PDB file of all heavy atoms in Angstrom:
ATOM      1  N   THR U 753     -42.706  68.911 -10.799  1.00 98.00           N
ATOM      2  CA  THR U 753     -43.565  67.890 -10.201  1.00 98.00           C
ATOM      3  C   THR U 753     -42.810  67.150  -9.100  1.00 98.00           C
ATOM      4  O   THR U 753     -41.577  67.170  -9.043  1.00 98.00           O
ATOM      5  CB  THR U 753     -44.026  66.873 -11.254  1.00 98.00           C
ATOM      6  OG1 THR U 753     -42.896  66.099 -11.686  1.00 98.00           O
ATOM      7  CG2 THR U 753     -44.676  67.561 -12.450  1.00 98.00           C
ATOM      8  N   ARG U 754     -43.556  66.486  -8.279  1.00 98.00           N
ATOM      9  CA  ARG U 754     -42.926  65.679  -7.236  1.00 98.00           C
ATOM     10  C   ARG U 754     -42.046  64.590  -7.849  1.00 98.00           C
ATOM     11  O   ARG U 754     -41.023  64.218  -7.276  1.00 98.00           O
ATOM     12  CB  ARG U 754     -44.000  65.065  -6.336  1.00 98.00           C
ATOM     13  CG  ARG U 754     -44.772  66.096  -5.521  1.00 98.00           C
ATOM     14  CD  ARG U 754     -45.934  65.498  -4.762  1.00 98.00           C
ATOM     15  NE  ARG U 754     -46.730  66.534  -4.121  1.00 98.00           N
ATOM     16  CZ  ARG U 754     -46.544  66.969  -2.866  1.00 98.00           C
ATOM     17  NH1 ARG U 754     -45.604  66.426  -2.110  1.00 98.00           N
ATOM     18  NH2 ARG U 754     -47.307  67.915  -2.371  1.00 98.00           N
ATOM     19  N   GLY U 755     -42.437  64.102  -9.006  1.00 98.00           N
ATOM     20  CA  GLY U 755     -41.640  63.081  -9.674  1.00 98.00           C
ATOM     21  C   GLY U 755     -40.297  63.610 -10.148  1.00 98.00           C
ATOM     22  O   GLY U 755     -39.258  62.957  -9.964  1.00 98.00           O
ATOM     23  N   THR U 756     -40.307  64.771 -10.763  1.00 98.00           N
ATOM     24  CA  THR U 756     -39.063  65.371 -11.242  1.00 98.00           C
ATOM     25  C   THR U 756     -38.100  65.636 -10.100  1.00 98.00           C
ATOM     26  O   THR U 756     -36.896  65.368 -10.198  1.00 98.00           O
ATOM     27  CB  THR U 756     -39.364  66.673 -12.001  1.00 98.00           C
ATOM     28  OG1 THR U 756     -40.094  66.357 -13.190  1.00 98.00           O
ATOM     29  CG2 THR U 756     -38.088  67.410 -12.378  1.00 98.00           C
ATOM     30  N   ILE U 757     -38.632  66.158  -8.999  1.00 98.00           N
ATOM     31  CA  ILE U 757     -37.775  66.475  -7.856  1.00 98.00           C
ATOM     32  C   ILE U 757     -37.276  65.206  -7.180  1.00 98.00           C
ATOM     33  O   ILE U 757     -36.090  65.080  -6.848  1.00 98.00           O
ATOM     34  CB  ILE U 757     -38.525  67.389  -6.876  1.00 98.00           C
ATOM     35  CG1 ILE U 757     -38.720  68.779  -7.519  1.00 98.00           C
ATOM     36  CG2 ILE U 757     -37.766  67.515  -5.556  1.00 98.00           C
ATOM     37  CD1 ILE U 757     -39.549  69.731  -6.717  1.00 98.00           C
ATOM     38  N   ALA U 758     -38.169  64.212  -6.999  1.00 98.00           N
ATOM     39  CA  ALA U 758     -37.765  62.967  -6.341  1.00 98.00           C
ATOM     40  C   ALA U 758     -36.736  62.204  -7.163  1.00 98.00           C
ATOM     41  O   ALA U 758     -35.825  61.575  -6.606  1.00 98.00           O
ATOM     42  CB  ALA U 758     -38.986  62.088  -6.094  1.00 98.00           C
ATOM     43  N   ALA U 759     -36.857  62.264  -8.499  1.00 98.00           N
ATOM     44  CA  ALA U 759     -35.903  61.560  -9.361  1.00 98.00           C
ATOM     45  C   ALA U 759     -34.570  62.278  -9.456  1.00 98.00           C
ATOM     46  O   ALA U 759     -33.613  61.733 -10.014  1.00 98.00           O
ATOM     47  CB  ALA U 759     -36.498  61.390 -10.758  1.00 98.00           C
ATOM     48  N   ARG U 760     -34.502  63.501  -8.938  1.00 97.00           N
ATOM     49  CA  ARG U 760     -33.279  64.308  -8.920  1.00 97.00           C
ATOM     50  C   ARG U 760     -32.725  64.504 -10.343  1.00 97.00           C
ATOM     51  O   ARG U 760     -31.510  64.475 -10.569  1.00 97.00           O
ATOM     52  CB  ARG U 760     -32.215  63.675  -8.008  1.00 97.00           C
ATOM     53  CG  ARG U 760     -32.658  63.571  -6.563  1.00 97.00           C
ATOM     54  CD  ARG U 760     -31.561  63.013  -5.660  1.00 97.00           C
ATOM     55  NE  ARG U 760     -30.359  63.849  -5.673  1.00 97.00           N
ATOM     56  CZ  ARG U 760     -30.202  64.962  -4.969  1.00 97.00           C
ATOM     57  NH1 ARG U 760     -31.180  65.399  -4.187  1.00 97.00           N
ATOM     58  NH2 ARG U 760     -29.084  65.649  -5.052  1.00 97.00           N
ATOM     59  N   LEU U 761     -33.637  64.718 -11.280  1.00 97.00           N
ATOM     60  CA  LEU U 761     -33.223  64.868 -12.680  1.00 97.00           C
ATOM     61  C   LEU U 761     -32.291  66.055 -12.858  1.00 97.00           C
ATOM     62  O   LEU U 761     -31.335  65.994 -13.646  1.00 97.00           O
ATOM     63  CB  LEU U 761     -34.462  65.023 -13.567  1.00 97.00           C
ATOM     64  CG  LEU U 761     -35.400  63.822 -13.635  1.00 97.00           C
ATOM     65  CD1 LEU U 761     -36.599  64.130 -14.525  1.00 97.00           C
ATOM     66  CD2 LEU U 761     -34.665  62.590 -14.143  1.00 97.00           C
ATOM     67  N   TYR U 762     -32.568  67.138 -12.145  1.00 96.00           N
ATOM     68  CA  TYR U 762     -31.715  68.317 -12.250  1.00 96.00           C
ATOM     69  C   TYR U 762     -30.586  68.304 -11.225  1.00 96.00           C
ATOM     70  O   TYR U 762     -29.450  68.696 -11.527  1.00 96.00           O
ATOM     71  CB  TYR U 762     -32.557  69.590 -12.092  1.00 96.00           C
ATOM     72  CG  TYR U 762     -33.308  69.924 -13.357  1.00 96.00           C
ATOM     73  CD1 TYR U 762     -34.603  69.491 -13.553  1.00 96.00           C
ATOM     74  CD2 TYR U 762     -32.694  70.649 -14.373  1.00 96.00           C
ATOM     75  CE1 TYR U 762     -35.286  69.776 -14.728  1.00 96.00           C
ATOM     76  CE2 TYR U 762     -33.355  70.940 -15.551  1.00 96.00           C
ATOM     77  CZ  TYR U 762     -34.649  70.501 -15.719  1.00 96.00           C
ATOM     78  OH  TYR U 762     -35.315  70.776 -16.892  1.00 96.00           O
ATOM     79  N   GLN U 763     -30.881  67.871 -10.012  1.00 95.00           N
ATOM     80  CA  GLN U 763     -29.860  67.914  -8.969  1.00 95.00           C
ATOM     81  C   GLN U 763     -28.647  67.063  -9.331  1.00 95.00           C
ATOM     82  O   GLN U 763     -27.507  67.431  -9.016  1.00 95.00           O
ATOM     83  CB  GLN U 763     -30.457  67.430  -7.635  1.00 95.00           C
ATOM     84  CG  GLN U 763     -31.624  68.270  -7.131  1.00 95.00           C
ATOM     85  CD  GLN U 763     -32.972  67.675  -7.486  1.00 95.00           C
ATOM     86  OE1 GLN U 763     -33.206  67.352  -8.644  1.00 95.00           O
ATOM     87  NE2 GLN U 763     -33.848  67.523  -6.497  1.00 95.00           N
ATOM     88  N   ARG U 764     -28.870  65.926  -9.995  1.00 95.00           N
ATOM     89  CA  ARG U 764     -27.746  65.058 -10.370  1.00 95.00           C
ATOM     90  C   ARG U 764     -26.918  65.669 -11.490  1.00 95.00           C
ATOM     91  O   ARG U 764     -25.711  65.411 -11.574  1.00 95.00           O
ATOM     92  CB  ARG U 764     -28.274  63.685 -10.801  1.00 95.00           C
ATOM     93  CG  ARG U 764     -28.786  62.825  -9.667  1.00 95.00           C
ATOM     94  CD  ARG U 764     -29.138  61.424 -10.118  1.00 95.00           C
ATOM     95  NE  ARG U 764     -30.327  61.377 -10.973  1.00 95.00           N
ATOM     96  CZ  ARG U 764     -30.313  61.207 -12.282  1.00 95.00           C
ATOM     97  NH1 ARG U 764     -29.151  61.060 -12.922  1.00 95.00           N
ATOM     98  NH2 ARG U 764     -31.437  61.155 -12.983  1.00 95.00           N
ATOM     99  N   ARG U 765     -27.550  66.452 -12.357  1.00 94.00           N
ATOM    100  CA  ARG U 765     -26.834  67.017 -13.509  1.00 94.00           C
ATOM    101  C   ARG U 765     -26.021  68.253 -13.138  1.00 94.00           C
ATOM    102  O   ARG U 765     -25.024  68.557 -13.802  1.00 94.00           O
ATOM    103  CB  ARG U 765     -27.833  67.381 -14.613  1.00 94.00           C
ATOM    104  CG  ARG U 765     -28.540  66.189 -15.252  1.00 94.00           C
ATOM    105  CD  ARG U 765     -27.608  65.352 -16.111  1.00 94.00           C
ATOM    106  NE  ARG U 765     -28.336  64.337 -16.859  1.00 94.00           N
ATOM    107  CZ  ARG U 765     -28.723  64.473 -18.119  1.00 94.00           C
ATOM    108  NH1 ARG U 765     -28.430  65.572 -18.795  1.00 94.00           N
ATOM    109  NH2 ARG U 765     -29.404  63.514 -18.716  1.00 94.00           N
ATOM    110  N   VAL U 766     -26.467  69.003 -12.136  1.00 93.00           N
ATOM    111  CA  VAL U 766     -25.745  70.215 -11.712  1.00 93.00           C
ATOM    112  C   VAL U 766     -25.546  70.137 -10.196  1.00 93.00           C
ATOM    113  O   VAL U 766     -26.152  70.883  -9.424  1.00 93.00           O
ATOM    114  CB  VAL U 766     -26.512  71.502 -12.097  1.00 93.00           C
ATOM    115  CG1 VAL U 766     -25.610  72.735 -11.939  1.00 93.00           C
ATOM    116  CG2 VAL U 766     -27.040  71.437 -13.524  1.00 93.00           C
ATOM    117  N   PRO U 767     -24.663  69.237  -9.751  1.00 92.00           N
ATOM    118  CA  PRO U 767     -24.515  69.031  -8.310  1.00 92.00           C
ATOM    119  C   PRO U 767     -23.874  70.210  -7.590  1.00 92.00           C
ATOM    120  O   PRO U 767     -24.006  70.336  -6.372  1.00 92.00           O
ATOM    121  CB  PRO U 767     -23.613  67.787  -8.233  1.00 92.00           C
ATOM    122  CG  PRO U 767     -22.868  67.776  -9.531  1.00 92.00           C
ATOM    123  CD  PRO U 767     -23.827  68.323 -10.544  1.00 92.00           C
ATOM    124  N   GLU U 768     -23.188  71.074  -8.355  1.00 91.00           N
ATOM    125  CA  GLU U 768     -22.528  72.199  -7.694  1.00 91.00           C
ATOM    126  C   GLU U 768     -23.489  73.293  -7.277  1.00 91.00           C
ATOM    127  O   GLU U 768     -23.159  74.147  -6.445  1.00 91.00           O
ATOM    128  CB  GLU U 768     -21.427  72.780  -8.603  1.00 91.00           C
ATOM    129  CG  GLU U 768     -21.919  73.395  -9.908  1.00 91.00           C
ATOM    130  CD  GLU U 768     -21.986  72.391 -11.042  1.00 91.00           C
ATOM    131  OE1 GLU U 768     -22.120  71.177 -10.763  1.00 91.00           O
ATOM    132  OE2 GLU U 768     -21.892  72.825 -12.202  1.00 91.00           O
ATOM    133  N   ALA U 769     -24.686  73.303  -7.849  1.00 93.00           N
ATOM    134  CA  ALA U 769     -25.677  74.305  -7.462  1.00 93.00           C
ATOM    135  C   ALA U 769     -26.279  73.953  -6.107  1.00 93.00           C
ATOM    136  O   ALA U 769     -26.360  72.783  -5.727  1.00 93.00           O
ATOM    137  CB  ALA U 769     -26.776  74.402  -8.518  1.00 93.00           C
ATOM    138  N   GLU U 770     -26.704  74.971  -5.379  1.00 95.00           N
ATOM    139  CA  GLU U 770     -27.402  74.759  -4.109  1.00 95.00           C
ATOM    140  C   GLU U 770     -28.895  74.746  -4.418  1.00 95.00           C
ATOM    141  O   GLU U 770     -29.569  75.776  -4.376  1.00 95.00           O
ATOM    142  CB  GLU U 770     -27.055  75.868  -3.112  1.00 95.00           C
ATOM    143  CG  GLU U 770     -25.583  75.934  -2.728  1.00 95.00           C
ATOM    144  CD  GLU U 770     -25.271  77.138  -1.861  1.00 95.00           C
ATOM    145  OE1 GLU U 770     -26.219  77.708  -1.262  1.00 95.00           O
ATOM    146  OE2 GLU U 770     -24.095  77.536  -1.794  1.00 95.00           O
ATOM    147  N   TRP U 771     -29.401  73.572  -4.739  1.00 96.00           N
ATOM    148  CA  TRP U 771     -30.782  73.463  -5.177  1.00 96.00           C
ATOM    149  C   TRP U 771     -31.748  73.730  -4.029  1.00 96.00           C
ATOM    150  O   TRP U 771     -31.652  73.105  -2.976  1.00 96.00           O
ATOM    151  CB  TRP U 771     -31.049  72.094  -5.781  1.00 96.00           C
ATOM    152  CG  TRP U 771     -30.373  71.905  -7.093  1.00 96.00           C
ATOM    153  CD1 TRP U 771     -29.227  71.219  -7.343  1.00 96.00           C
ATOM    154  CD2 TRP U 771     -30.796  72.447  -8.354  1.00 96.00           C
ATOM    155  NE1 TRP U 771     -28.909  71.289  -8.679  1.00 96.00           N
ATOM    156  CE2 TRP U 771     -29.855  72.035  -9.328  1.00 96.00           C
ATOM    157  CE3 TRP U 771     -31.878  73.227  -8.758  1.00 96.00           C
ATOM    158  CZ2 TRP U 771     -29.961  72.383 -10.669  1.00 96.00           C
ATOM    159  CZ3 TRP U 771     -31.999  73.583 -10.088  1.00 96.00           C
ATOM    160  CH2 TRP U 771     -31.054  73.166 -11.032  1.00 96.00           C
ATOM    161  N   ALA U 772     -32.657  74.654  -4.247  1.00 97.00           N
ATOM    162  CA  ALA U 772     -33.679  74.989  -3.252  1.00 97.00           C
ATOM    163  C   ALA U 772     -35.007  74.435  -3.750  1.00 97.00           C
ATOM    164  O   ALA U 772     -35.574  74.940  -4.723  1.00 97.00           O
ATOM    165  CB  ALA U 772     -33.769  76.503  -3.072  1.00 97.00           C
ATOM    166  N   VAL U 773     -35.472  73.364  -3.115  1.00 97.00           N
ATOM    167  CA  VAL U 773     -36.749  72.777  -3.507  1.00 97.00           C
ATOM    168  C   VAL U 773     -37.833  73.307  -2.578  1.00 97.00           C
ATOM    169  O   VAL U 773     -37.556  73.749  -1.462  1.00 97.00           O
ATOM    170  CB  VAL U 773     -36.697  71.233  -3.464  1.00 97.00           C
ATOM    171  CG1 VAL U 773     -35.629  70.710  -4.400  1.00 97.00           C
ATOM    172  CG2 VAL U 773     -36.465  70.741  -2.047  1.00 97.00           C
ATOM    173  N   PRO U 774     -39.069  73.297  -3.025  1.00 98.00           N
ATOM    174  CA  PRO U 774     -40.138  73.859  -2.196  1.00 98.00           C
ATOM    175  C   PRO U 774     -40.348  73.084  -0.904  1.00 98.00           C
ATOM    176  O   PRO U 774     -40.068  71.887  -0.817  1.00 98.00           O
ATOM    177  CB  PRO U 774     -41.380  73.757  -3.105  1.00 98.00           C
ATOM    178  CG  PRO U 774     -40.855  73.592  -4.484  1.00 98.00           C
ATOM    179  CD  PRO U 774     -39.559  72.861  -4.340  1.00 98.00           C
ATOM    180  N   SER U 775     -40.863  73.788   0.091  1.00 98.00           N
ATOM    181  CA  SER U 775     -41.387  73.123   1.273  1.00 98.00           C
ATOM    182  C   SER U 775     -42.637  72.343   0.849  1.00 98.00           C
ATOM    183  O   SER U 775     -43.108  72.455  -0.292  1.00 98.00           O
ATOM    184  CB  SER U 775     -41.755  74.159   2.334  1.00 98.00           C
ATOM    185  OG  SER U 775     -42.836  74.963   1.858  1.00 98.00           O
ATOM    186  N   GLU U 776     -43.192  71.580   1.748  1.00 98.00           N
ATOM    187  CA  GLU U 776     -44.424  70.851   1.405  1.00 98.00           C
ATOM    188  C   GLU U 776     -45.528  71.828   1.016  1.00 98.00           C
ATOM    189  O   GLU U 776     -46.286  71.576   0.062  1.00 98.00           O
ATOM    190  CB  GLU U 776     -44.874  69.980   2.581  1.00 98.00           C
ATOM    191  CG  GLU U 776     -46.185  69.234   2.339  1.00 98.00           C
ATOM    192  CD  GLU U 776     -46.157  68.343   1.103  1.00 98.00           C
ATOM    193  OE1 GLU U 776     -45.082  67.825   0.741  1.00 98.00           O
ATOM    194  OE2 GLU U 776     -47.240  68.162   0.491  1.00 98.00           O
ATOM    195  N   THR U 777     -45.606  72.957   1.709  1.00 98.00           N
ATOM    196  CA  THR U 777     -46.602  73.962   1.345  1.00 98.00           C
ATOM    197  C   THR U 777     -46.336  74.497  -0.061  1.00 98.00           C
ATOM    198  O   THR U 777     -47.257  74.628  -0.877  1.00 98.00           O
ATOM    199  CB  THR U 777     -46.583  75.122   2.347  1.00 98.00           C
ATOM    200  OG1 THR U 777     -46.935  74.627   3.643  1.00 98.00           O
ATOM    201  CG2 THR U 777     -47.560  76.219   1.951  1.00 98.00           C
ATOM    202  N   GLY U 778     -45.075  74.789  -0.339  1.00 98.00           N
ATOM    203  CA  GLY U 778     -44.717  75.291  -1.665  1.00 98.00           C
ATOM    204  C   GLY U 778     -44.947  74.257  -2.752  1.00 98.00           C
ATOM    205  O   GLY U 778     -45.357  74.598  -3.872  1.00 98.00           O
ATOM    206  N   GLN U 779     -44.703  72.973  -2.443  1.00 98.00           N
ATOM    207  CA  GLN U 779     -44.941  71.931  -3.436  1.00 98.00           C
ATOM    208  C   GLN U 779     -46.424  71.789  -3.733  1.00 98.00           C
ATOM    209  O   GLN U 779     -46.821  71.555  -4.887  1.00 98.00           O
ATOM    210  CB  GLN U 779     -44.360  70.607  -2.964  1.00 98.00           C
ATOM    211  CG  GLN U 779     -44.419  69.501  -4.017  1.00 98.00           C
ATOM    212  CD  GLN U 779     -43.610  69.848  -5.267  1.00 98.00           C
ATOM    213  OE1 GLN U 779     -42.439  70.199  -5.172  1.00 98.00           O
ATOM    214  NE2 GLN U 779     -44.242  69.765  -6.431  1.00 98.00           N
ATOM    215  N   ARG U 780     -47.233  71.935  -2.711  1.00 98.00           N
ATOM    216  CA  ARG U 780     -48.683  71.886  -2.954  1.00 98.00           C
ATOM    217  C   ARG U 780     -49.110  73.034  -3.860  1.00 98.00           C
ATOM    218  O   ARG U 780     -49.991  72.865  -4.716  1.00 98.00           O
ATOM    219  CB  ARG U 780     -49.447  71.929  -1.619  1.00 98.00           C
ATOM    220  CG  ARG U 780     -49.390  70.613  -0.857  1.00 98.00           C
ATOM    221  CD  ARG U 780     -50.493  70.551   0.200  1.00 98.00           C
ATOM    222  NE  ARG U 780     -50.308  71.572   1.234  1.00 98.00           N
ATOM    223  CZ  ARG U 780     -49.651  71.382   2.367  1.00 98.00           C
ATOM    224  NH1 ARG U 780     -49.101  70.198   2.623  1.00 98.00           N
ATOM    225  NH2 ARG U 780     -49.539  72.350   3.255  1.00 98.00           N
ATOM    226  N   GLU U 781     -48.502  74.208  -3.679  1.00 98.00           N
ATOM    227  CA  GLU U 781     -48.813  75.335  -4.564  1.00 98.00           C
ATOM    228  C   GLU U 781     -48.350  75.046  -5.997  1.00 98.00           C
ATOM    229  O   GLU U 781     -49.044  75.366  -6.968  1.00 98.00           O
ATOM    230  CB  GLU U 781     -48.154  76.612  -4.052  1.00 98.00           C
ATOM    231  CG  GLU U 781     -48.690  77.126  -2.731  1.00 98.00           C
ATOM    232  CD  GLU U 781     -50.097  77.703  -2.833  1.00 98.00           C
ATOM    233  OE1 GLU U 781     -50.634  77.813  -3.953  1.00 98.00           O
ATOM    234  OE2 GLU U 781     -50.662  78.046  -1.773  1.00 98.00           O
ATOM    235  N   THR U 782     -47.187  74.420  -6.136  1.00 98.00           N
ATOM    236  CA  THR U 782     -46.703  74.036  -7.470  1.00 98.00           C
ATOM    237  C   THR U 782     -47.642  73.032  -8.110  1.00 98.00           C
ATOM    238  O   THR U 782     -48.021  73.176  -9.283  1.00 98.00           O
ATOM    239  CB  THR U 782     -45.291  73.440  -7.379  1.00 98.00           C
ATOM    240  OG1 THR U 782     -44.407  74.374  -6.751  1.00 98.00           O
ATOM    241  CG2 THR U 782     -44.751  73.103  -8.764  1.00 98.00           C
ATOM    242  N   ASP U 783     -48.026  72.018  -7.340  1.00 98.00           N
ATOM    243  CA  ASP U 783     -48.960  71.010  -7.855  1.00 98.00           C
ATOM    244  C   ASP U 783     -50.263  71.666  -8.304  1.00 98.00           C
ATOM    245  O   ASP U 783     -50.822  71.313  -9.354  1.00 98.00           O
ATOM    246  CB  ASP U 783     -49.269  69.967  -6.779  1.00 98.00           C
ATOM    247  CG  ASP U 783     -48.055  69.160  -6.343  1.00 98.00           C
ATOM    248  OD1 ASP U 783     -47.046  69.152  -7.082  1.00 98.00           O
ATOM    249  OD2 ASP U 783     -48.120  68.536  -5.261  1.00 98.00           O
ATOM    250  N   ALA U 784     -50.736  72.613  -7.503  1.00 98.00           N
ATOM    251  CA  ALA U 784     -52.000  73.274  -7.820  1.00 98.00           C
ATOM    252  C   ALA U 784     -51.869  74.140  -9.074  1.00 98.00           C
ATOM    253  O   ALA U 784     -52.805  74.235  -9.874  1.00 98.00           O
ATOM    254  CB  ALA U 784     -52.458  74.125  -6.629  1.00 98.00           C
ATOM    255  N   ALA U 785     -50.715  74.770  -9.249  1.00 98.00           N
ATOM    256  CA  ALA U 785     -50.485  75.582 -10.453  1.00 98.00           C
ATOM    257  C   ALA U 785     -50.520  74.711 -11.695  1.00 98.00           C
ATOM    258  O   ALA U 785     -51.141  75.062 -12.715  1.00 98.00           O
ATOM    259  CB  ALA U 785     -49.153  76.316 -10.349  1.00 98.00           C
ATOM    260  N   VAL U 786     -49.865  73.560 -11.623  1.00 98.00           N
ATOM    261  CA  VAL U 786     -49.839  72.627 -12.750  1.00 98.00           C
ATOM    262  C   VAL U 786     -51.246  72.128 -13.057  1.00 98.00           C
ATOM    263  O   VAL U 786     -51.682  72.100 -14.216  1.00 98.00           O
ATOM    264  CB  VAL U 786     -48.890  71.453 -12.457  1.00 98.00           C
ATOM    265  CG1 VAL U 786     -48.993  70.385 -13.541  1.00 98.00           C
ATOM    266  CG2 VAL U 786     -47.453  71.946 -12.333  1.00 98.00           C
ATOM    267  N   ALA U 787     -51.976  71.746 -12.017  1.00 98.00           N
ATOM    268  CA  ALA U 787     -53.332  71.237 -12.206  1.00 98.00           C
ATOM    269  C   ALA U 787     -54.242  72.298 -12.811  1.00 98.00           C
ATOM    270  O   ALA U 787     -55.098  71.994 -13.653  1.00 98.00           O
ATOM    271  CB  ALA U 787     -53.900  70.750 -10.877  1.00 98.00           C
ATOM    272  N   ALA U 788     -54.053  73.553 -12.396  1.00 98.00           N
ATOM    273  CA  ALA U 788     -54.889  74.640 -12.926  1.00 98.00           C
ATOM    274  C   ALA U 788     -54.655  74.831 -14.421  1.00 98.00           C
ATOM    275  O   ALA U 788     -55.597  75.033 -15.192  1.00 98.00           O
ATOM    276  CB  ALA U 788     -54.611  75.928 -12.163  1.00 98.00           C
ATOM    277  N   VAL U 789     -53.392  74.748 -14.847  1.00 98.00           N
ATOM    278  CA  VAL U 789     -53.102  74.870 -16.273  1.00 98.00           C
ATOM    279  C   VAL U 789     -53.757  73.727 -17.041  1.00 98.00           C
ATOM    280  O   VAL U 789     -54.351  73.926 -18.111  1.00 98.00           O
ATOM    281  CB  VAL U 789     -51.581  74.891 -16.530  1.00 98.00           C
ATOM    282  CG1 VAL U 789     -51.288  74.839 -18.032  1.00 98.00           C
ATOM    283  CG2 VAL U 789     -50.942  76.127 -15.917  1.00 98.00           C
ATOM    284  N   LYS U 790     -53.672  72.529 -16.494  1.00 98.00           N
ATOM    285  CA  LYS U 790     -54.229  71.369 -17.189  1.00 98.00           C
ATOM    286  C   LYS U 790     -55.743  71.462 -17.353  1.00 98.00           C
ATOM    287  O   LYS U 790     -56.310  70.921 -18.308  1.00 98.00           O
ATOM    288  CB  LYS U 790     -53.830  70.081 -16.467  1.00 98.00           C
ATOM    289  CG  LYS U 790     -52.340  69.746 -16.606  1.00 98.00           C
ATOM    290  CD  LYS U 790     -51.987  68.450 -15.918  1.00 98.00           C
ATOM    291  CE  LYS U 790     -50.502  68.121 -16.042  1.00 98.00           C
ATOM    292  NZ  LYS U 790     -50.101  67.822 -17.426  1.00 98.00           N
TER     293      LYS U 790
END
């Protein structure tokens, strides 16, 4: 979710990884996937 990514819940815990977050288009697809499941 946008909240998880904005809060950096994972990025702060594993800073050595090169975290690749979605583009805005990709985030909209993620949001839509979550909404579809719900």
Side-chain angles (χ1 to χ4, degrees):
T753 68
R754 294 173 186 268
T756 294
I757 291 175
R760 299 183 60 81
L761 295 179
Y762 282 94
Q763 299 97 309
R764 287 187 290 104
R765 293 290 188 97
V766 193
E768 64 270 25
E770 298 174 19
W771 290 102
V773 300
S775 65
E776 177 57 30
T777 298
Q779 187 62 52
R780 285 198 296 268
E781 294 289 354
T782 303
D783 297 342
V786 173
V789 173
K790 290 182 181 293

